[in-house]
Amino acid sequence: MNIQGKLMIIGGAVDKGSFTETDLDKNVANNLNFFETGILKRLLLESKHKENSRIEVITTASKIPREIGPEYVKALEYLGAKNVSVLHIEKREQATSEEVLEKLRAADVVIFTGGDQLRLTSILGGTAFHDIILEKYHNEDFIYAGTSAGAAAASNNMIYQGSSSEALLKGEVKITSGLGLIDGVIIDTHFVQRGRIGRLFQAVVGNPKVLGIGLGEDTGLLITNNTKMEAIGSGLVILVDGREIKDTNLTQVELGQPISISHLVTHVMSMYDTFDLSTHKMFIRSSQYADELGLPTD
């Protein structure tokens, strides 16, 4: 299937995973690491009408939506965006409001903020709002951007709970259905800083066909046609590929017991590196073999 839209999934920011700094107006460039790493600027450049694109910030995942929403607006306007507003959807009935749906139909970009990804799926899942998101993503020059919870919810399979320290104990990682924009992957966020690699290992060993994606903070992936992934931002993206697993005790041990895995393949991506989901091949932008591969090195 030829997907017309783009996904931008972001691991979250060090400062609360959102733009809630109180002195943003005075010291915006220092407070928002996304300015330094260029993630939000890249979002504008990739959007249909650039700074004139219609952008809707969706705060459903957050417990403090009235604080977070305006800070995203400030951040985007600081970068030159001229047409940004906030959609506060806190109950399922609001996701069927014709006023809300008309705003979504007119949007070129939606940005889902951080918070609790289970709020996103339980409030939006199966509504007209959800249907329009999927239709626009498949058929229009449209961007779904999500940070933290908004990123985790983008795929068919979604991690919604699991202790980092006990993540490799059988049954500790909880998985449910996400919003379903992309299949064949499962996404975790705040990945490096919160030590969540064990969560992704367990998610992948349970179904090795699914590629695990761990997004560091101030780091993201731009995904085009649900196949090409490009690393953006200042940190790391960890990919966990379970297709070559040779052995595991997953089905032999009881709930709460440690899991063993043999031959689990991992990749580490940094800015401008790419990964092809159709071939499972990674390309390092500054590779030592760049000349032989014909890759750009600038």
Side-chain angles (χ1 to χ4, degrees):
M1 182 181 295
N2 187 23
I3 305 293
Q4 299 299 308
K6 299 170 186 173
L7 272 181
M8 186 173 283
I9 50 174
I10 305 161
V14 172
D15 298 305
K16 302 180 185 177
S18 60
F19 306 111
T20 56
E21 293 77 11
T22 54
D23 60 344
L24 183 142
D25 288 329
K26 298 177 183 177
N27 203 15
V28 68
N30 290 333
N31 281 331
L32 299 179
N33 290 325
F34 285 1
F35 290 125
E36 297 175 9
T37 60
I39 291 178
L40 285 185
K41 190 65 176 178
R42 180 67 180 272
L43 176 64
L44 290 180
L45 290 172
E46 293 287 340
S47 66
K48 185 175 182 180
H49 301 295
K50 307 301 187 280
E51 67 273 9
N52 293 312
S53 291
R54 181 67 194 162
I55 302 172
E56 294 289 350
V57 178
I58 299 166
T59 59
T60 304
S62 177
K63 292 181 180 178
I64 50 169
R66 307 291 166 172
E67 295 177 39
I68 286 180
E71 300 302 337
Y72 271 86
V73 174
K74 288 180 187 177
L76 288 159
E77 289 179 345
Y78 179 86
L79 291 173
K82 297 178 171 61
N83 200 3
V84 188
S85 63
V86 181
L87 278 178
H88 292 299
I89 304 172
E90 299 170 37
K91 299 176 182 177
R92 282 183 66 84
E93 63 183 333
Q94 292 172 285
T96 60
S97 159
E98 193 54 39
E99 180 183 356
V100 168
L101 297 181
E102 281 303 311
K103 289 182 178 180
L104 176 60
R105 291 187 186 103
D108 302 301
V109 178
V110 291
I111 301 177
F112 285 79
T113 70
D116 179 357
Q117 52 264 42
L118 202 55
R119 282 181 55 82
L120 279 180
T121 55
S122 62
I123 292 173
L124 300 179
T127 64
F129 190 94
H130 187 192
D131 291 341
I132 292 171
I133 289 276
L134 292 172
E135 191 277 331
K136 287 175 70 71
Y137 179 67
H138 281 89
N139 300 306
E140 298 181 20
D141 185 357
F142 172 76
I143 297 179
Y144 172 106
T147 182
S148 191
S155 55
N156 272 356
N157 299 296
M158 178 185 81
I159 296 173
Y160 71 93
Q161 186 178 323
S163 163
S164 297
S165 61
E166 299 179 343
L168 275 175
L169 301 182
K170 182 176 177 178
E172 283 298 316
V173 177
K174 312 300 183 185
I175 298 172
T176 189
S177 298
L179 296 177
L181 283 90
I182 184 169
D183 197 9
V185 303
I186 192 163
I187 302 159
D188 210 352
T189 59
H190 301 283
F191 191 71
V192 178
Q193 289 78 0
R194 299 186 187 178
R196 288 179 168 175
I197 194 162
R199 300 199 336 172
L200 215 50
F201 284 170
Q202 181 160 171
V204 170
V205 75
N207 184 358
K209 181 177 174 59
V210 175
L211 180 75
I213 299 174
L215 300 170
E217 293 179 346
D218 303 320
T219 308
L221 284 174
L222 173 66
I223 305 175
T224 54
N225 198 31
N226 276 9
T227 53
K228 181 186 176 183
M229 306 196 303
E230 178 191 343
I232 53 179
S234 64
L236 301 175
V237 178
I238 312 296
L239 304 181
V240 178
D241 188 344
R243 295 174 308 141
E244 296 183 28
I245 288 175
K246 296 189 182 302
D247 196 10
T248 176
N249 65 351
L250 179 66
T251 60
Q252 309 304 314
V253 299
E254 300 296 324
L255 288 175
Q257 295 300 305
I259 299 170
S260 302
I261 311 168
S262 170
H263 211 266
L264 187 61
V265 175
T266 60
H267 306 278
V268 181
M269 301 175 69
S270 58
M271 190 182 292
Y272 304 129
D273 293 343
T274 60
F275 187 90
D276 191 323
L277 285 168
S278 60
T279 62
H280 278 69
K281 298 291 186 183
M282 177 176 162
F283 299 94
I284 298 176
R285 176 65 176 252
S286 300
S287 167
Q288 57 187 315
Y289 303 110
D291 291 341
E292 298 170 33
L293 296 171
L295 298 174
T297 56
D298 57 333

